[in-house]
Amino acid sequence: MLSGGHKGPKRGSLSLPGTEAGIAAMAACYKGFDPAAYLQYNYTAPRADFERQDSIVPWKLGCLHRAFTEGDVSGEVLVDIGSGPTLYQVLSGCEVFSKVLLTDFLEVNRQELKRWLQGQGGDSIDWTPYLQHVCKLEGRRYDQISARLRLVVSDVLPIDVHRPQPLARDALPSAGADCLVSSFCLESVSPDFPAFKRALIHIQGLLRPGGHLLLIGALGESYYLGGPGIKIPVVPLDEAQVCASLKESGFTLIRLEVYVLPADMRVGVDDVSGVFFVKARKD
Ligand SMILES: Nc1ncnc2c1ncn2[C@@H]1O[C@H](CN(CCC[C@H]2CNCc3c2ccc(Cl)c3Cl)CC[C@H](N)C(=O)O)[C@@H](O)[C@H]1O
């Protein structure tokens, strides 16, 4: 109960003053997000150096490749939560699923993805090295993987993980998606740890029971640059908080892998110290 006998709103609702203000403040931070700069910061060398085993992007692609192809992940519908202007998250998944949905909060990011999918050129980044790397991992042909991606990615939808219903109602089958992938989203869009945990519960609701969650995130990060001078606060997480949040939101952890950033991967665009990869299943 709030002071003075005033009956406060029920716990965990969006209408808690601090929560609503914090979520609005995060949305305001994202107004200046610059997809081209963001891609430059995180998706070129050294963070995306395919000649280096200890580069972040090859590590992420390896985790996703193993998780999608070890035989337990199956179904029709894969949703990527908070895609940003990137599609590396679904390169392995697009071979397993016949319907892939990309999602983001910002129109500028959705436009970036739609542009690549239409194949008319003018992209902010050349995804060729990414597709070639995954082809090598999976023994697939380059022209086959890009055609497959354009075939199965059926939409790029707006999403807000702070809403109990993050997607439009008709976006998914009534049973939910068969698999979710989400990379660096929840901790980078939440004002605090309670909001991170609520967002995890919201996306859990998008998944059918027995469906899989492949979650990539930052450890020990407090900010990142979403563009020149666009400093976005991040909820600093440790492994214990990640594992506890998964358990609390109705997931069984299958595997947790951790990558510790070598010094030369710290390039001044954030203060992230590690990256986690989680494979989990909805109870
Ligand atoms: N309410 C909201 N609801 C839903 N989605 C929202 C909301 N609000 C904002 N978004 C959207 O989330 C997306 C977060 N986005 C940037 C953070 C990553 C960044 C910072 N942390 C360390 C790190 C990063 C990137 C690479 C590497 Cl290697 C590292 Cl270490 C992830 C994009 C993509 N998935 C990626 O993997 O790069 C963004 O596109 C928003 O538009």
Side-chain angles (χ1 to χ4, degrees), residues 2-280:
L2 300 179
S3 61
H6 165 68
K7 197 155 171 28
K10 63 179 173 37
R11 290 287 311 148
S13 74
L14 272 185
S15 59
L16 278 175
T19 304
E20 212 161 51
I23 286 170
M26 286 308 295
C29 287
Y30 273 96
K31 284 221 178 339
F33 189 87
D34 173 346
Y38 171 77
L39 289 164
Q40 179 63 33
Y41 297 160
N42 292 292
Y43 293 98
T44 58
R47 291 189 165 192
D49 180 343
F50 295 95
E51 305 309 315
R52 282 184 55 172
Q53 265 308 312
D54 66 344
S55 176
I56 305 178
V57 165
W59 180 82
K60 291 192 279 186
L61 292 175
C63 291
L64 289 163
H65 160 67
R66 284 189 297 278
F68 275 119
T69 60
E70 58 197 348
D72 54 347
V73 172
S74 65
E76 308 298 315
V77 181
L78 166 67
V79 182
D80 179 38
I81 307 286
S83 305
T86 64
L87 42 75
Y88 72 88
Q89 306 90 294
V90 297
L91 294 182
S92 290
C94 78
E95 192 61 20
V96 178
F97 293 92
S98 54
K99 181 179 167 115
V100 177
L101 294 173
L102 302 178
T103 69
D104 200 73
F105 183 70
L106 297 175
E107 173 63 22
V108 284
N109 286 330
R110 297 194 298 269
Q111 282 311 325
E112 189 71 35
L113 291 172
K114 285 177 180 167
R115 195 174 311 128
W116 186 87
L117 290 167
Q118 280 146 18
Q120 306 303 328
D123 306 320
S124 300
I125 184 171
D126 175 12
W127 292 109
T128 306
Y130 289 72
L131 277 72
Q132 286 171 338
H133 185 79
V134 172
C135 285
K136 233 187 316 183
L137 291 176
E138 305 190 346
R140 292 161 64 187
R141 295 206 351 256
Y142 173 80
D143 52 355
Q144 188 231 17
I145 189 172
S146 54
R148 176 77 186 169
L149 202 51
R150 289 186 167 114
L151 176 74
V152 300
V153 176
S154 56
D155 222 333
V156 184
L157 298 176
I159 191 166
D160 182 350
V161 296
H162 298 310
R163 293 176 183 279
Q165 285 280 348
L167 288 171
R169 281 190 184 287
D170 59 355
L172 290 178
S174 52
D178 296 298
C179 185
L180 301 181
V181 57
S182 187
S183 174
F184 299 115
C185 179
L186 304 187
E187 72 281 4
S188 311
V189 310
S190 299
D192 52 34
F193 185 48
F196 168 87
K197 288 194 286 187
R198 272 196 305 281
L200 185 56
I201 289 169
H202 296 160
I203 68 169
Q204 189 259 23
L206 297 173
L207 190 57
R208 70 162 168 80
H212 286 87
L213 167 68
L214 308 182
L215 188 66
I216 295 177
L219 293 169
E221 183 181 37
S222 68
Y223 82 93
Y224 81 98
L225 295 183
I230 306 294
K231 197 166 179 180
I232 296 176
V234 177
V235 180
L237 296 174
D238 62 28
E239 289 170 54
Q241 287 173 307
V242 172
C243 294
S245 307
L246 287 163
K247 195 169 168 58
E248 274 171 45
S249 48
F251 286 102
T252 296
L253 181 67
I254 295 172
R255 183 165 68 245
L256 168 69
E257 299 180 61
V258 173
Y259 167 95
V260 178
L261 265 78
D264 65 349
M265 293 292 158
R266 298 166 196 253
V267 295
V269 296
D270 53 40
D271 61 351
V272 66
S273 60
V275 179
F276 66 82
F277 176 84
V278 154
K279 180 171 188 178

